[in-house]
Amino acid sequence: KAGVTQTPRYLIKTRGQQVTLSCSPISGHRSVSWYQQTPGQGLQFLFEYFSETQRNKGNFPGRFSGRQFSNSRSEMNVSTLELGDSALYLCASSLTGGYNEQFFGPGTRLTVL
Amino acid sequence: TQLLEQSPQFLSIQEGENLTVYCNSSSVFSSLQWYRQEPGEGPVLLVTVVTGGEVKKLKRLTFQFGDARKDSSLHITAAQPGDTGLYLCAGALTGGGNKLTFGTGTQLKVEL
């Protein structure tokens, strides 16, 4: 079974631009969560989508948004990029909310200049 | 507020040594997971523990969930260079859906 895929793997943007990242979960998984990983803050939860609905949200500004499609694929968008948004953005998929086992993709490395 | 504290933060040992990584919190978790992450890659799930006092073994790795479900430990026996990586614990709070709170991480380096 194929794992979680994320595209693109690397992105370079400038301040003020916006960016869209994509995540395809493991086949059959309906929950997709997004995390931001930085050296200073570690891994922080952004939001979770289940059946096209946002189910949980972390403490990030409204510039961070997401959505999920009927095939469970998910996108996250960051508008008005800031230098501090440079990070590894990770997507994780899981079957449901059972034991919360999540399987991560390789991430998208975003650099904001 | 960091809900999950890991210790030690860094660990550099020789091949064949044993080590233990600790994950502590004042919160009760419904489940706790351990991951290992390589540079530039996503975390890979090693184990999930859900019952207080539970012990799980994965080859040379032994995971334990505290009786009160507030803490966990990872013990590696006879470490090998292939064990090198960032070890992360992550807890799920009751009613929190799939939101995971990650620990601060333990960077392990095993040298020949």
Side-chain angles (χ1 to χ4, degrees):
Chain A
K1 188 181 275 189
V4 178
T5 58
Q6 291 186 245
T7 56
R9 289 294 308 275
Y10 303 93
L11 262 180
I12 300 176
K13 293 285 188 180
T14 57
R15 280 182 300 173
Q17 288 186 309
Q18 74 165 18
V19 67
T20 299
L21 312 181
S22 180
C23 171
S24 292
I26 293 171
S27 177
H29 285 195
R30 295 170 61 194
S31 168
V32 174
S33 299
W34 289 88
Y35 293 82
Q36 181 195 65
Q37 186 175 28
T38 59
Q41 299 298 318
L43 265 148
Q44 293 187 293
F45 175 81
L46 280 156
F47 30 65
E48 179 202 1
Y49 285 87
F50 181 76
S51 294
E52 301 178 65
T53 301
Q54 187 179 88
R55 188 160 69 171
N56 273 301
K57 190 176 189 305
N59 296 321
F60 279 82
R63 299 185 298 106
F64 292 81
S65 63
R67 60 177 175 168
Q68 186 179 35
F69 302 95
S70 58
N71 61 359
S72 295
R73 190 177 70 86
S74 177
E75 290 181 347
M76 68 162 281
N77 184 79
V78 188
S79 61
T80 319
L81 284 166
E82 300 177 359
L83 295 179
D85 296 334
S86 293
L88 182 66
Y89 289 88
L90 293 159
C91 162
S93 80
S94 62
L95 272 171
T96 61
Y99 290 144
N100 315 103
E101 288 189 331
Q102 295 185 45
F103 299 88
F104 284 82
T108 294
R109 169 71 65 185
L110 172 65
T111 301
V112 182
L113 303 175
Chain B
T1 303
Q2 185 64 48
L3 289 182
L4 273 170
E5 296 287 342
Q6 279 185 244
S7 62
Q9 189 175 359
F10 299 98
L11 198 52
S12 181
I13 61 173
Q14 298 295 311
E15 182 180 18
E17 292 184 30
N18 302 332
L19 66 116
T20 302
V21 177
Y22 299 93
C23 177
N24 295 296
S25 174
S26 57
S27 301
V28 177
F29 294 100
S30 60
S31 68
L32 193 137
Q33 299 169 36
W34 284 91
Y35 292 85
R36 185 172 77 197
Q37 186 178 23
E38 306 278 348
E41 298 294 328
V44 174
L45 179 65
L46 296 174
V47 77
T48 299
V49 285
V50 298
T51 305
E54 182 176 6
V55 177
K56 280 192 174 180
K57 291 192 176 185
L58 182 66
K59 296 183 181 178
R60 294 176 293 101
L61 279 60
T62 302
F63 305 86
Q64 185 164 6
F65 202 12
D67 291 340
R69 291 184 290 132
K70 292 183 179 181
D71 54 85
S72 181
S73 64
L74 157 62
H75 182 79
I76 301 179
T77 303
Q80 298 176 0
D83 296 327
T84 294
L86 177 66
Y87 288 82
L88 295 157
C89 62
L93 296 170
T94 301
N98 280 322
K99 176 181 179 179
L100 289 178
T101 299
F102 275 83
T104 45
T106 296
Q107 184 64 56
L108 171 66
K109 183 176 182 180
V110 183
E111 298 181 283
L112 291 169

